[in-house]
CSV table of all heavy atoms in Angstrom, one decimal:
chain,number,residue,atom,x,y,z
C,89,GLN,N,82.8,90.0,95.8
C,89,GLN,CA,83.5,89.3,94.8
C,89,GLN,C,84.7,88.6,95.5
C,89,GLN,O,85.4,89.2,96.3
C,89,GLN,CB,84.0,90.2,93.7
C,89,GLN,CG,82.8,90.7,92.9
C,89,GLN,CD,83.3,91.7,91.8
C,89,GLN,OE1,84.5,91.9,91.6
C,89,GLN,NE2,82.4,92.2,91.0
C,90,PRO,N,85.0,87.4,95.1
C,90,PRO,CA,86.2,86.7,95.7
C,90,PRO,C,87.5,87.4,95.2
C,90,PRO,O,87.5,88.0,94.1
C,90,PRO,CB,86.1,85.3,95.1
C,90,PRO,CG,85.3,85.4,93.9
C,90,PRO,CD,84.4,86.5,94.1
C,91,THR,N,88.5,87.4,96.0
C,91,THR,CA,89.8,88.0,95.7
C,91,THR,C,90.4,87.1,94.6
C,91,THR,O,90.1,85.9,94.5
C,91,THR,CB,90.7,88.0,96.9
C,91,THR,OG1,90.8,86.7,97.4
C,91,THR,CG2,90.1,89.0,97.9
C,92,PRO,N,91.4,87.6,93.8
C,92,PRO,CA,91.9,86.8,92.7
C,92,PRO,C,92.6,85.5,93.1
C,92,PRO,O,92.7,84.6,92.4
C,92,PRO,CB,93.0,87.8,92.1
C,92,PRO,CG,92.6,89.1,92.5
C,92,PRO,CD,91.9,89.0,93.8
C,93,PHE,N,93.2,85.5,94.3
C,93,PHE,CA,93.9,84.2,94.7
C,93,PHE,C,92.9,83.1,95.2
C,93,PHE,O,93.3,82.0,95.4
C,93,PHE,CB,94.9,84.5,95.8
C,93,PHE,CG,94.4,85.1,97.1
C,93,PHE,CD1,93.9,84.2,98.1
C,93,PHE,CD2,94.3,86.4,97.3
C,93,PHE,CE1,93.4,84.7,99.2
C,93,PHE,CE2,93.9,86.9,98.5
C,93,PHE,CZ,93.4,86.1,99.5
C,94,GLN,N,91.6,83.4,95.4
C,94,GLN,CA,90.7,82.4,95.8
C,94,GLN,C,90.1,81.8,94.5
C,94,GLN,O,89.5,82.4,93.7
C,94,GLN,CB,89.5,83.0,96.6
C,94,GLN,CG,90.0,83.5,98.0
C,94,GLN,CD,88.8,84.2,98.7
C,94,GLN,OE1,88.0,84.8,98.1
C,94,GLN,NE2,88.9,84.1,100.0
C,95,ARG,N,90.4,80.5,94.4
C,95,ARG,CA,89.9,79.8,93.2
C,95,ARG,C,88.9,78.7,93.6
C,95,ARG,O,88.7,78.4,94.8
C,95,ARG,CB,91.1,79.1,92.5
C,95,ARG,CG,92.2,80.1,92.1
C,95,ARG,CD,93.3,79.3,91.4
C,95,ARG,NE,93.8,78.2,92.2
C,95,ARG,CZ,94.9,78.2,92.8
C,95,ARG,NH1,95.7,79.3,92.8
C,95,ARG,NH2,95.4,77.2,93.5
C,96,ASP,N,88.3,78.1,92.6
C,96,ASP,CA,87.4,77.0,92.9
C,96,ASP,C,88.2,75.8,93.3
C,96,ASP,O,89.4,75.6,92.9
C,96,ASP,CB,86.6,76.6,91.6
C,96,ASP,CG,85.6,77.7,91.2
C,96,ASP,OD1,85.1,78.4,92.1
C,96,ASP,OD2,85.3,77.8,90.0
C,97,LEU,N,87.7,75.0,94.2
C,97,LEU,CA,88.4,73.8,94.6
C,97,LEU,C,88.6,72.8,93.5
C,97,LEU,O,87.7,72.6,92.7
C,97,LEU,CB,87.6,73.1,95.8
C,97,LEU,CG,87.6,73.8,97.1
C,97,LEU,CD1,86.6,73.0,98.0
C,97,LEU,CD2,88.9,73.9,97.7
C,98,SER,N,89.7,72.2,93.5
C,98,SER,CA,90.0,71.1,92.6
C,98,SER,C,89.2,69.9,93.0
C,98,SER,O,88.8,69.8,94.1
C,98,SER,CB,91.5,70.8,92.5
C,98,SER,OG,91.8,70.2,93.8
C,99,PRO,N,88.9,69.0,92.0
C,99,PRO,CA,88.1,67.8,92.4
C,99,PRO,C,88.8,67.0,93.5
C,99,PRO,O,88.1,66.4,94.3
C,99,PRO,CB,88.0,67.0,91.1
C,99,PRO,CG,88.2,68.1,90.0
C,99,PRO,CD,89.1,69.1,90.6
C,100,THR,N,90.1,67.0,93.5
C,100,THR,CA,90.8,66.2,94.5
C,100,THR,C,90.5,66.8,95.9
C,100,THR,O,90.2,66.0,96.9
C,100,THR,CB,92.3,66.2,94.3
C,100,THR,OG1,92.5,65.7,92.9
C,100,THR,CG2,93.1,65.4,95.3
C,101,HIS,N,90.6,68.1,96.0
C,101,HIS,CA,90.3,68.7,97.3
C,101,HIS,C,88.8,68.7,97.7
C,101,HIS,O,88.5,68.5,98.9
C,101,HIS,CB,90.8,70.2,97.3
C,101,HIS,CG,92.3,70.3,97.3
C,101,HIS,ND1,93.0,70.5,96.2
C,101,HIS,CD2,93.2,70.2,98.4
C,101,HIS,CE1,94.3,70.5,96.5
C,101,HIS,NE2,94.4,70.4,97.8
C,102,ALA,N,88.0,68.8,96.7
C,102,ALA,CA,86.5,68.7,97.0
C,102,ALA,C,86.2,67.3,97.5
C,102,ALA,O,85.3,67.2,98.4
C,102,ALA,CB,85.7,69.0,95.8
C,103,ASN,N,86.7,66.3,97.0
C,103,ASN,CA,86.4,64.9,97.4
C,103,ASN,C,87.0,64.6,98.8
C,103,ASN,O,86.5,63.8,99.5
C,103,ASN,CB,87.0,63.9,96.4
C,103,ASN,CG,86.2,63.9,95.1
C,103,ASN,OD1,85.0,64.3,95.1
C,103,ASN,ND2,86.8,63.5,94.0
Side-chain angles (χ1 to χ4, degrees):
Q89 295 179 358
T91 57
F93 62 85
Q94 291 176 329
R95 302 182 305 257
D96 292 331
L97 286 176
S98 68
T100 304
H101 287 96
N103 290 335

